[in-house]
Structures are given as C-alpha cells and as structure tokens.
Amino acid sequence: MLPKLLELHFSQLQSEWSVSKYNSYSDVRKQKYHDKLKFIIGRLEEEDFSKLDDDQIQQRFWVIFFVFKSLEFLNHSTTSTIPYELVYVLELAMKDWAPEDEYIIVTALINGVNGFSFDSFITFFEYVYNVIDLLYSVKFEHRLVQINVPESTSRDYLANVVLYHELGHFVEKKACNY
C-alpha cells in the first residue's frame, strides 16, 4: 500500500470521526472505548505517513480499519439509536458464555430484512490489539461483540430470535480461540 492511499483512508476516517466524536452512550464502557479511539486518532494525526516503511503502513492500515469498524457499530449504539431491548436480551444470553466485564454488545442497523450477522473482526483479531498497544500503549479492557440487525425489526426483540444464532457465532469463535 502506498502512503497516499493510507492518507486517503485516514482522511475518510477523520470525516467519519467529525460526526462520531459527539456520540453519547448510556454505557460507561462504550464511552471509555470511544475515548480510546479518540486518543488513537489523535496519535495518527501526528504521524507523517510518507516516512513509514511498508510494514508500518500496513500496521496503520489495520489500526485505521479497526477504528472505522468500531465506529460503524458504536454509531448505532448511542443513547438515541441503540435497540435497548435487543441488546438487553443478548447480554442476558451472553452471560452464560462470557464475563460482562470483557465484552460489550454493539449493533449496526442494516437496510435489509435478512441483514442479521455477527462480525468477529474487532472481537477476535488479536494482531490489531497488539499493534495498537505497541504503537500507542492503548489497551482495550472490553471487546465489542458486533451484531448486525435489520433496522426494520431492531425494536422487536421477540421476532429477532435469529440474533441468538448470531450470538452463537461469537460463542463458537470464543470457544475456539481460548
């Protein structure tokens, strides 16, 4: 990847951040996660991508992708958009499989009636956590469990039993990783 392409990706992230930085969360854990993203973005702003070698560019690419992916789900988990009912029942189900203090369920609202899915990137991609710690000394106490939900049924927790299936993907990957 060329430094100019990385600069383009970072510029796109800054555009997304210009709106996301004002997010408000009812969950303190999400706010702490958000604050760490803010710190990482600030550190990226201080870097001169043109002076990085190929490995360093690749590391920054994954960091930028990580922040983008985090914001994709955090933007749908704010006090005004989060489907509280769905998240609550999923958190209850998840307690049997993972400690509350390690994971935060976040949702992205999808345009499509069959838009259910689990995105494991932020939850289980250890490489990016190691790079962030190495480059910026940032450790995330919580991992996001990212579940895509059709916006049309996002407030109907009884009709969304398929979400338990998506949560099952998280449980399965967690069992395989540990």
Side-chain angles (χ1 to χ4, degrees), residues 12-28:
Q12 292 165 331
L13 175 60
Q14 288 174 307
S15 178
E16 178 71 18
W17 181 249
S18 70
V19 175
S20 299
K21 67 183 176 184
Y22 299 110
N23 286 355
S24 175
Y25 309 97
S26 59
D27 186 334
V28 170

Side-chain angles (χ1 to χ4, degrees), residues 25-98:
Y25 309 97
S26 59
D27 186 334
V28 170
R29 300 172 304 161
K30 288 178 193 165
Q31 186 61 54
K32 288 180 182 177
Y33 192 102
H34 181 99
D35 292 344
K36 289 176 190 247
L37 297 179
K38 177 182 177 180
F39 178 80
I40 292 167
I41 290 168
R43 293 292 304 273
L44 284 165
E45 287 173 344
E46 297 169 358
E47 295 189 50
D48 181 352
F49 297 146
S50 68
K51 294 183 179 177
L52 302 178
D53 65 32
D54 289 343
D55 288 337
Q56 292 170 321
I57 288 173
Q58 194 65 29
Q59 289 174 331
R60 276 27 170 228
F61 168 80
W62 285 114
V63 170
I64 290 169
F65 186 78
F66 172 87
V67 175
F68 256 123
K69 219 37 173 154
S70 294
L71 291 176
E72 175 185 341
F73 287 84
L74 285 172
N75 288 346
H76 292 278
S77 297
T78 64
T79 54
S80 62
T81 60
I82 187 171
Y84 288 102
E85 300 87 355
L86 290 179
V87 171
Y88 178 75
V89 296
L90 289 173
E91 285 175 343
L92 286 176
M94 191 170 73
K95 282 182 183 181
D96 291 337
W97 303 100

